[in-house]
Amino acid sequence: MSGHGGAEVTPVEKMSGTGDPRTGPVENKNEAAMSELVPESRQKPVVPMKPVGINANLLGYIGIDTIIEQMRKKTMKTGFDFNIMVVGQSGLGKSTLVNTLFKSQVSRKSSGWNREEKIPKTVEIKAIGHVIEEGGVKMKLTVIDTPGFGDQINNENCWEPIEKYINEQYEKFLKEEVNIARKKRIPDTRVHCCLYFISPTGHSLRPLDLEFMKHLSKVVNIIPVIAKADTMTLEEKTEFKQRVRKELEVNGIEFYPQKEFDEDLEDKTENDKIRQESMPFAVVGSDKEYQVNGKRVLGRKTPWGIIEVENLTHCEFALLRDFVIRTHLQDLKEVTHNIHYETYRAKRLNDNGGLPPMTSETEENHESNL
């Protein structure tokens, strides 16, 4: 040690506390070997502190309530996407209903469709995009049509191209998401809502209807609608709606809004009423206006009078519009992202051994490294 108070430590050999000092190194090796076998003690997980109750009577204004206005301004600047798919046999008024729903010519038939076009021999997928603006809010609307569905003599597995398309959009989003240099805002082409058109037979669902909804309800939000409901009497319509609900329940087919995704009692109460009373919506579509009692209304002209599309005593179109656009549009997007997409993503990563799918960018990087 130094005589000026500075401590100088010299290295010494570590020796066992007992026994012959000459055996020290051997015992040290044994201790080292044993220490490797003993697992290290794991640190206890950090338990988050419980939030301390704060008196609701604040001492002054903070401004927390402005977050809603901030979100509104941001949404108005960026806009949002909504992708809706229509599925059903030809002649059920799918294009007309979509045009009525958004009060504009947004369907495939309104965008340069030739009336002499023949029914395709196989199911095709055709997407048409539009930008709709209302009250300063922009919505990029994509309408996905499925010409050829259910129009063949043999309709076996005709839902497969539709299921493939839906999964392809999930895959496209997943590949964008796992990119190292991903986009700030990933383009969303995932199908948020699928309107399935049921033929107004008044009897029961066809085997094709049941098979389609059974397969597709697991990957997309299905909303069943009874097309051209003006072809049935009020009694026939009520009985048919009850029969369809019963058949869907017996076959274990879940349609949107699914019971298991109700977040609270308020949601459950509201959605139970829709599931038990409104579903499936019996609708009539029309993009033509007529004069009724001094007002211009959308409707269908018949020898018996005008069937008003937005009149609840005539059909349930107004209920469908309010449901899809005014009350559940954001929830449709959230269920698509948090449930259907997450289910696909988890399965895809699990099948890939926990690794993200290879994209063109990662493949190029991998090849350059080799």
Side-chain angles (χ1 to χ4, degrees):
M1 293 180 66
S2 166
H4 300 284
E8 186 177 328
V9 181
T10 56
V12 294
E13 285 187 0
K14 184 179 178 183
M15 299 177 64
S16 173
T18 58
D20 191 345
R22 289 173 295 178
T23 62
V26 178
E27 290 184 5
N28 289 342
K29 289 180 181 178
N30 292 336
E31 285 178 5
M34 289 177 67
S35 65
E36 290 176 3
L37 296 174
V38 178
E40 293 182 2
S41 59
R42 294 183 180 177
Q43 292 183 349
K44 292 182 179 180
V46 178
V47 179
M49 291 179 64
K50 292 183 179 179
V52 180
I54 300 175
N55 191 351
N57 299 320
L58 300 173
L59 298 176
Y61 179 70
I62 299 175
I64 299 171
D65 56 350
T66 62
I67 186 66
I68 304 298
E69 181 62 20
Q70 294 172 41
M71 292 167 68
R72 189 187 72 84
K73 284 182 179 179
K74 192 167 185 180
T75 304
M76 288 184 73
K77 285 180 182 178
T78 59
F80 62 96
D81 302 306
F82 187 62
N83 309 316
I84 184 169
M85 174 180 274
V86 289
V87 181
Q89 278 183 301
S90 299
L92 290 180
K94 300 187 296 295
S95 299
T96 304
L97 185 75
V98 172
N99 290 341
T100 314
L101 202 59
F102 296 99
K103 292 192 175 180
S104 53
Q105 302 295 313
V106 295
S107 69
R108 177 181 64 93
K109 290 187 178 181
S110 306
S111 305
W113 179 74
N114 183 4
R115 291 195 171 272
E116 296 180 359
E117 180 182 329
K118 294 181 180 178
I119 295 173
K121 294 182 179 179
T122 57
V123 178
E124 297 178 356
I125 311 292
K126 296 190 176 183
I128 302 292
H130 301 270
V131 176
I132 300 176
E133 186 171 352
E134 183 181 45
V137 180
K138 291 181 181 179
M139 178 174 76
K140 185 183 177 185
L141 173 71
T142 303
V143 179
I144 303 114
D145 198 359
T146 55
F149 176 83
D151 294 327
Q152 314 305 322
I153 296 174
N154 181 9
N155 290 304
E156 187 179 3
N157 299 332
C158 64
W159 58 82
E160 287 182 351
I162 299 171
E163 186 175 15
K164 182 184 176 186
Y165 175 85
I166 293 169
N167 286 329
E168 281 173 353
Q169 308 319 303
Y170 291 148
E171 181 71 14
K172 190 185 295 184
F173 194 89
L174 177 59
K175 286 184 175 180
E176 287 285 353
E177 202 174 45
V178 301
N179 271 339
I180 296 171
R182 63 182 180 183
K183 299 172 183 175
K184 185 178 179 182
R185 190 166 180 240
I186 300 173
D188 191 359
T189 60
R190 297 170 297 180
V191 180
H192 301 125
C193 171
C194 174
L195 293 180
Y196 185 76
F197 287 70
I198 298 168
S199 183
T201 61
H203 301 295
S204 61
L205 292 171
R206 300 172 302 162
L208 176 60
D209 300 328
L210 294 171
E211 285 298 318
F212 175 87
M213 287 189 272
K214 194 178 292 183
H215 282 84
L216 273 292
S217 62
K218 298 171 186 175
V219 297
V220 71
N221 297 317
I222 290 182
I223 299 176
V225 297
I226 299 171
K228 296 192 173 181
D230 54 325
T231 60
M232 296 185 288
T233 65
L234 294 176
E235 293 77 13
E236 288 172 343
K237 182 177 72 176
T238 303
E239 289 177 10
F240 189 44
K241 279 164 67 77
Q242 291 173 349
R243 197 174 294 119
V244 169
R245 282 198 296 268
K246 186 67 177 175
E247 285 189 68
L248 292 174
E249 185 182 348
V250 168
N251 287 274
I253 296 170
E254 286 276 345
F255 52 83
Y256 180 85
Q258 300 89 335
K259 292 179 183 177
E260 58 190 298
F261 303 148
D262 292 339
E263 293 184 356
D264 52 37
L265 185 60
E266 184 183 352
D267 280 354
K268 185 179 185 303
T269 305
E270 181 185 353
N271 291 336
D272 276 346
K273 188 177 180 181
I274 294 167
R275 286 186 286 258
Q276 294 166 11
E277 297 177 15
S278 301
M279 289 287 184
F281 296 98
V283 298
V284 176
S286 174
D287 48 11
K288 293 182 180 179
E289 287 188 338
Y290 295 93
Q291 193 86 12
V292 176
N293 297 328
K295 292 182 179 179
R296 300 291 294 176
V297 298
L298 291 170
R300 283 170 57 84
K301 191 174 183 180
T302 69
W304 304 276
I306 306 293
I307 299 170
E308 298 174 41
V309 168
E310 296 179 284
N311 188 333
L312 282 174
T313 59
H314 293 188
C315 77
E316 296 169 347
F317 169 80
L319 292 177
L320 174 65
R321 179 202 58 207
D322 291 353
F323 177 66
V324 172
I325 299 174
R326 300 182 183 181
T327 62
H328 284 70
L329 189 146
Q330 182 59 30
D331 189 63
L332 282 162
K333 289 167 65 72
E334 287 178 4
V335 171
T336 298
H337 181 76
N338 298 329
I339 307 297
H340 297 304
Y341 169 68
E342 282 299 318
T343 302
Y344 177 86
R345 177 180 170 276
K347 184 179 182 302
R348 187 75 171 81
L349 294 180
N350 186 54
D351 292 345
N352 209 28
L355 298 173
M358 293 286 282
T359 64
S360 57
E361 182 182 336
T362 53
E363 283 175 0
E364 287 172 8
N365 292 338
H366 182 66
E367 289 173 2
S368 62
N369 290 335
L370 290 175

